[in-house]
Amino acid sequence: MLTLNIIGAGKLGRTLARLWSERGVFRIGSICNRSLASAAEATAFIGAGTASADIPSMGPADCWLVAVADDAIEATAAALAAHFQSHCAHQTATHSAPVVFHCSGALPASALSACSSAALASAHPVHSFAEPLRSLDDLPGSVVALEGDATARALLNNAFTAVDCTCITLSPEQKVLYHTGSVMACNYLTVLMDLSLQTFAAAGIDGRTARKLLAPIVMQTAKNNFDLGPQKALTGPLARGDIRTVTRQLEALSALAGAEQDPAHPSLAMVYRTLGDAGLPLARQTGLDATSAQKLHILFNEQKP
Ligand SMILES: NC(=O)c1ccc[n+]([C@@H]2O[C@H](COP(=O)([O-])OP(=O)(O)OC[C@H]3O[C@@H](n4cnc5c(N)ncnc54)[C@H](OP(=O)(O)O)[C@@H]3O)[C@@H](O)[C@H]2O)c1
């Protein structure tokens, strides 16, 4: 069995390591986090591996996962390259070059180019690792975007397929916009949920009631988007061209900003305007007439009172 070492066994790293260990895909070798205590916590979660205090004390491995924060990947790769040069960590069971990969959605494999003697790849699971215990159950079925060296991609394709994920291949040039698309639909959906709850709170509706009220309609909207596509899923005042309703909602948000003097509230009106204006081409496709679209465009771009 091939050995996997991990630098950065946080939310993603420890989840993948535990799944791979339990399915017999990799033998987990050394684990290095910023602190030894955190690495020990990761090995306890994984149920395998040895905590290392730093990169120079990590053992040899066939495969290295660099799962630190995106901004630390290049510097970590440079430290790993130095380790490869000065120790036998470069040795692999198959006597071929080790595979070094990261899981960033935005960065290409070349972020690891300091490890020039290794086969480099990136493998981005399209999954939110918010809570590792939940991800153990929820990751299977996800798509993983692979990019980089062909040998490394083949190895990672086998590893992710073994935990019931499906792999696609991307070019280095595709990665930034590919990841941005995922941020828009996933991370910004969470931001919108937060802004929605703030708006409910301003109406005096508590968070628990608001979430109960929102859950079915948000789930239904997500399902409609996937089943029918955005053009048919869009409903509401924008799609209907209810200009007076949009005007009243904008006035309410603007009044809120003025009354509360809370720096968070102006962003509610700003997001409402920006998303409303961005949604007009979609609303036109759903049947909104050109005159109403133009009036709404003017309304969304009026200066705040
Ligand atoms: N979270 C997601 O939903 C998700 C989804 C897809 C891809 N990814 C990608 O996965 C990677 C890791 O993300 P994450 O969410 O798992 O991050 P995370 O939970 O913050 O974990 C990062 C880990 O890296 C360690 N670390 C940071 N700098 C280090 C260094 N210089 N040397 C050694 N260890 C270091 C941290 O150690 P300490 O514990 O000691 O601080 C921590 O354990 C990122 O590239 C991210 O883009 C994440």
Side-chain angles (χ1 to χ4, degrees), residues 176-267:
V176 174
L177 284 179
Y178 146 85
H179 187 243
T180 309
S182 173
V183 167
M184 291 259 198
C186 178
N187 304 150
Y188 287 3
L189 177 62
T190 305
V191 176
L192 278 179
M193 279 298 298
D194 184 49
L195 294 177
S196 166
L197 291 172
Q198 286 181 36
T199 311
F200 277 104
I205 299 168
D206 67 274
R208 195 159 173 269
T209 306
R211 278 194 294 275
K212 191 174 172 195
L213 177 158
L214 282 173
I217 194 171
V218 170
M219 298 296 188
Q220 184 201 2
T221 304
K223 189 169 181 333
N224 285 348
N225 270 284
F226 290 109
D227 291 351
L228 309 172
Q231 285 90 347
K232 287 189 176 158
L234 186 69
T235 59
L238 206 61
R240 287 191 299 269
D242 274 341
I243 297 170
R244 290 217 304 233
T245 300
V246 173
T247 305
R248 288 180 65 234
Q249 292 181 342
L250 257 176
E251 283 170 357
L253 291 178
S254 301
L256 202 62
E260 303 269 336
Q261 293 294 313
D262 180 342
H265 282 135
S267 73

Side-chain angles (χ1 to χ4, degrees), residues 16-277:
L16 290 178
R18 179 152 155 187
L19 284 170
W20 280 330
S21 177
E22 287 178 352
R23 303 267 180 118
V25 178
F26 289 117
R27 187 187 76 79
I28 307 301
S30 305
I31 305 276
C32 174
N33 284 3
R34 269 181 295 210
S35 73
L36 187 59
S38 170
E41 193 189 295
T43 58
F45 178 86
I46 297 163
T50 306
S52 293
D54 51 25
I55 292 173
S57 56
M58 297 177 82
D62 307 282
C63 206
W64 293 73
L65 166 56
V66 178
V68 298
D70 286 12
D71 289 353
I73 289 175
E74 280 188 31
T76 305
L80 181 57
H83 183 43
F84 281 164
Q85 276 176 0
S86 60
H87 290 79
C88 55
H90 202 269
Q91 289 171 2
T92 63
T94 55
H95 301 291
S96 52
V99 165
V100 179
F101 71 105
H102 68 70
C103 290
S104 164
L107 295 173
S110 59
L112 300 163
S113 58
C115 298
S116 53
S117 57
L120 306 180
S122 69
H124 177 244
V126 189
H127 174 85
S128 180
F129 292 82
E131 168 52 54
L133 273 177
R134 289 172 77 101
S135 289
L136 292 174
D137 291 330
D138 295 346
L139 179 70
S142 303
V143 170
V144 180
L146 301 178
E147 171 271 334
D149 175 87
T151 313
R153 278 192 283 116
L155 185 148
L156 292 169
N157 182 65
N158 289 341
F160 280 104
T161 305
V163 292
D164 302 324
C165 291
T166 309
C167 295
I168 60 166
T169 302
L170 296 178
S171 68
E173 295 74 27
Q174 286 176 296
K175 283 216 68 174
V176 174
L177 284 179
Y178 146 85
H179 187 243
T180 309
S182 173
V183 167
M184 291 259 198
C186 178
N187 304 150
Y188 287 3
L189 177 62
T190 305
V191 176
L192 278 179
M193 279 298 298
D194 184 49
L195 294 177
S196 166
L197 291 172
Q198 286 181 36
T199 311
F200 277 104
I205 299 168
D206 67 274
R208 195 159 173 269
T209 306
R211 278 194 294 275
K212 191 174 172 195
L213 177 158
L214 282 173
I217 194 171
V218 170
M219 298 296 188
Q220 184 201 2
T221 304
K223 189 169 181 333
N224 285 348
N225 270 284
F226 290 109
D227 291 351
L228 309 172
Q231 285 90 347
K232 287 189 176 158
L234 186 69
T235 59
L238 206 61
R240 287 191 299 269
D242 274 341
I243 297 170
R244 290 217 304 233
T245 300
V246 173
T247 305
R248 288 180 65 234
Q249 292 181 342
L250 257 176
E251 283 170 357
L253 291 178
S254 301
L256 202 62
E260 303 269 336
Q261 293 294 313
D262 180 342
H265 282 135
S267 73
L268 294 177
M270 193 258 295
V271 171
Y272 187 97
R273 286 175 191 276
T274 305
L275 288 185
D277 204 31

